Amino acid sequence: RQLFAKIGHQSADSQVDLAITHANTNLTGNGVTPQSMLDQNRASVYTVPDNTRNQMTMFNLTGSQWLNDQFLLSGLVYHRTNKTRTLNGDINDDFEDDPGLDGSAGANGGAGFNTATAVSNRTTTKQTGDGVGAQASWVLDKNTLAVGSTYDWSHSDFSQSSQLGIFRSATDRSVLETDPEVTENALKGKTKTISLYATDTWKITKELAATLSG
């Protein structure tokens, strides 16, 4: 589900635009299934669920103003948020290597009662980004010069957890969670970027122009 909206005002020497973008997705992508399971049931899946949800919203404000016939000022401000959540039902990779979990190796006295064969893996990522920019342009008959600067900053918050369980049945490969959820990773990060730039275009002839940027 996506939404885009834009509203603006324009006059002879100025322009202002506000744009809003929003997207909300719910994606399921179950992985490949062994042939032996497909031979028994063509509708079978290896593990479920494998789900990713994204929610993004962005506001973008731009404006420009001609001070005279040759000098133009322009700028922008934006704010962006994004949240991604994943839920994956998986086989517990530690199961076969742990005699305390593998029934055939010794759990319940070797009676074959297997525990913690499956695991639900979850992640959550929250991101925000903001930025401002300004540019001055000189537009002459044979030369156009623009100089500008931008400042961008962002923040990311990531967490990962797991919850042990068992598969509900041989035909229902969803995870029945039996243990408390455990946090395995939690990270936070920030970035800041300052940029300066300039570009100049000189019309040597009507058919030829040279541009220098930095």
Side-chain angles (χ1 to χ4, degrees):
R1 295 182 294 275
Q2 300 182 56
L3 169 69
F4 176 79
K6 184 176 181 179
I7 186 172
H9 173 75
Q10 184 175 358
S11 64
D13 55 4
S14 66
Q15 182 173 346
V16 177
D17 293 292
L18 174 64
I20 300 173
T21 305
H22 179 74
N24 193 328
T25 63
N26 188 349
L27 309 173
T28 297
N30 293 320
V32 295
T33 302
Q35 185 66 45
S36 58
M37 295 179 63
L38 294 177
D39 291 339
Q40 300 178 43
N41 182 3
R42 295 298 299 177
S44 64
V45 292
Y46 193 45
T47 60
V48 292
D50 292 295
N51 181 254
T52 300
R53 298 187 179 192
N54 299 285
Q55 189 173 46
M56 188 277 292
T57 303
M58 181 172 179
F59 300 89
N60 187 51
L61 177 65
T62 61
S64 62
Q65 175 69 49
W66 286 95
L67 300 184
N68 53 47
D69 292 341
Q70 299 176 338
F71 188 66
L72 173 67
L73 288 178
S74 57
L76 67 88
V77 178
Y78 74 86
H79 174 73
R80 183 180 186 273
T81 63
N82 183 68
K83 183 177 182 180
T84 299
R85 291 171 294 170
T86 67
L87 171 59
N88 292 318
D90 297 311
I91 289 179
N92 181 13
D93 292 334
D94 298 326
F95 171 71
E96 292 185 351
D97 298 327
D98 189 340
L101 299 179
D102 191 342
S104 61
N108 270 3
F113 180 74
N114 297 328
T115 61
T117 55
V119 59
S120 291
N121 291 307
R122 295 180 174 87
T123 67
T124 300
T125 306
K126 299 177 182 178
Q127 298 170 300
T128 60
D130 299 273
V132 295
Q135 177 177 294
S137 304
W138 290 265
V139 182
L140 306 176
D141 292 338
K142 292 187 177 182
N143 192 74
T144 300
L145 171 66
V147 295
S149 176
T150 62
Y151 177 50
D152 304 272
W153 64 98
S154 66
H155 178 266
S156 298
D157 189 346
F158 172 80
S159 64
Q160 179 181 359
S161 66
S162 64
Q163 192 168 6
L164 294 175
I166 59 175
F167 291 110
R168 296 182 183 273
S169 67
T171 56
D172 182 356
R173 297 282 288 181
S174 61
V175 180
L176 176 62
E177 295 155 350
T178 57
D179 291 19
E181 186 174 2
V182 177
T183 299
E184 295 188 341
N185 208 333
L187 298 172
K188 292 184 178 182
K190 295 181 179 180
T191 64
K192 294 181 180 180
T193 304
I194 300 175
S195 303
L196 300 174
Y197 65 90
T199 179
D200 185 78
T201 299
W202 176 43
K203 295 181 181 178
I204 301 174
T205 67
K206 290 183 178 180
E207 293 82 16
L208 179 65
T211 298
L212 177 65
S213 301

